[in-house]
Amino acid sequence: MTIAELSSESLTDAQWEIAHAIAQTLVRDNTDINELGKAVAYLRASVNQQNATSRFFQYLKTLVSNGKHIGHSSKTTDYYRSIEKACSDYLKTVSDAHTMLQILGWVARLMRYYKDAGVPIGEIATPQTTVLESARQVEIAKVVQAQDFQVEQIIEAQVTKINSNKVTYEILGTIRLTEKEPKKASSLQEGQMVKVKIVSLKEDGSIKSVKCVS
């Protein structure tokens, strides 16, 4: 699959602004689109891993620091540096790896367009949206707004994943939290419904951490 085929879904207006800004920046810097493709391929391979966005930004920094050793030409490090800076500048508000992957898929398409049509003269517009929310984030926000969670509150949760002593719980069919449960993990099963106690809340009232009590 090519990077142009990564996503055929539509972006929101704010996401389009970001995609255009990154594409224009990279074309103005004469960045090799194939090097962007390598970065996108890394994100695509790790998109379902925990902290995928952080891993992606760290990967870009690694490319910059090792560009002289892994590049095919003296310009490769400059390509990596340009990609790392553009992504850091414009994708820093995107916390969802799948959304980031969608945007970068369109960046590749837009780079080809701007290479042929030319980048508009003038400053590259700064995307106005400071926070991008994925469909899942919006869904979670709706659930949080509809609830009045309290510390010590006991609620039902479903065990969706067990990894050694770490247990991932799904609450109200939407909220997912992974907690260390060294005393409980071995006795639980994926798919099992359990009772969990809310240990702490975030400033917005959403659940920060829970502990299994059943």
Side-chain angles (χ1 to χ4, degrees), residues 24 27 50-51 63-64 69 83 85 97 107 109 112 125-126 143 155-157 162 195 210:
Q24 290 176 0
V27 170
Q50 194 171 14
N51 301 321
L63 288 180
V64 172
H69 305 293
I83 293 169
K85 186 177 187 310
V107 167
R109 294 178 176 181
R112 295 190 179 93
T126 301
V143 170
I155 52 179
E156 281 198 333
I162 301 173
K195 300 283 187 182
V210 297

Side-chain angles (χ1 to χ4, degrees), residues 12 15 95-96 99 131-146 174-175:
T12 65
Q15 291 164 355
S95 58
D96 179 75
T99 301
V131 178
L132 280 181
E133 293 183 329
S134 66
R136 177 166 174 74
Q137 288 174 307
V138 171
E139 185 180 2
I140 291 173
K142 289 180 179 178
V143 170
V144 171
Q145 290 174 359
T174 305
I175 302 168

Side-chain angles (χ1 to χ4, degrees), residues 34-202:
N34 293 318
E35 300 303 333
L36 173 67
K38 293 175 184 176
V40 173
Y42 174 86
L43 178 59
R44 182 172 178 271
S46 59
V47 69
N48 291 318
Q49 295 183 13
Q50 194 171 14
N51 301 321
T53 58
S54 298
R55 290 170 182 264
F56 177 65
F57 285 120
Q58 185 57 48
Y59 173 74
L60 295 181
K61 292 182 183 297
T62 301
L63 288 180
V64 172
S65 61
N66 293 280
K68 292 182 179 179
H69 305 293
I70 61 178
H72 302 296
S73 73
S74 58
K75 295 181 179 178
T76 304
T77 301
D78 291 336
Y79 297 152
Y80 292 152
R81 189 175 291 114
S82 177
I83 293 169
E84 192 274 333
K85 186 177 187 310
C87 289
S88 296
D89 287 347
Y90 297 111
L91 292 175
K92 58 186 177 184
T93 61
V94 181
S95 58
D96 179 75
H98 290 275
T99 301
M100 188 177 291
L101 188 59
Q102 276 188 286
I103 293 173
L104 289 174
W106 279 102
V107 167
R109 294 178 176 181
L110 290 168
M111 283 183 70
R112 295 190 179 93
Y113 165 76
Y114 283 120
K115 278 182 177 294
D116 294 335
V119 175
I121 297 174
E123 294 294 325
I124 296 173
T126 301
Q128 297 300 309
T129 301
T130 56
V131 178
L132 280 181
E133 293 183 329
S134 66
R136 177 166 174 74
Q137 288 174 307
V138 171
E139 185 180 2
I140 291 173
K142 289 180 179 178
V143 170
V144 171
Q145 290 174 359
Q147 301 292 323
D148 182 21
F149 295 120
Q150 301 292 329
V151 173
E152 301 291 329
Q153 181 181 350
I154 305 296
I155 52 179
E156 281 198 333
Q158 184 175 33
V159 177
T160 59
K161 185 177 180 181
I162 301 173
N163 184 8
S164 185
N165 67 342
K166 294 182 178 179
V167 179
T168 300
Y169 299 106
E170 184 174 272
I171 300 166
L172 297 174
T174 305
I175 302 168
R176 291 177 191 161
L177 296 169
T178 299
E179 306 286 357
K180 287 185 178 179
E181 297 280 12
K183 295 182 180 179
K184 292 282 188 178
S186 61
S187 63
L188 298 176
Q189 295 183 338
E190 294 184 0
Q192 181 180 353
M193 297 301 297
V194 296
K195 300 283 187 182
V196 296
K197 179 174 68 178
I198 298 177
V199 176
S200 60
L201 298 173
K202 299 178 183 178

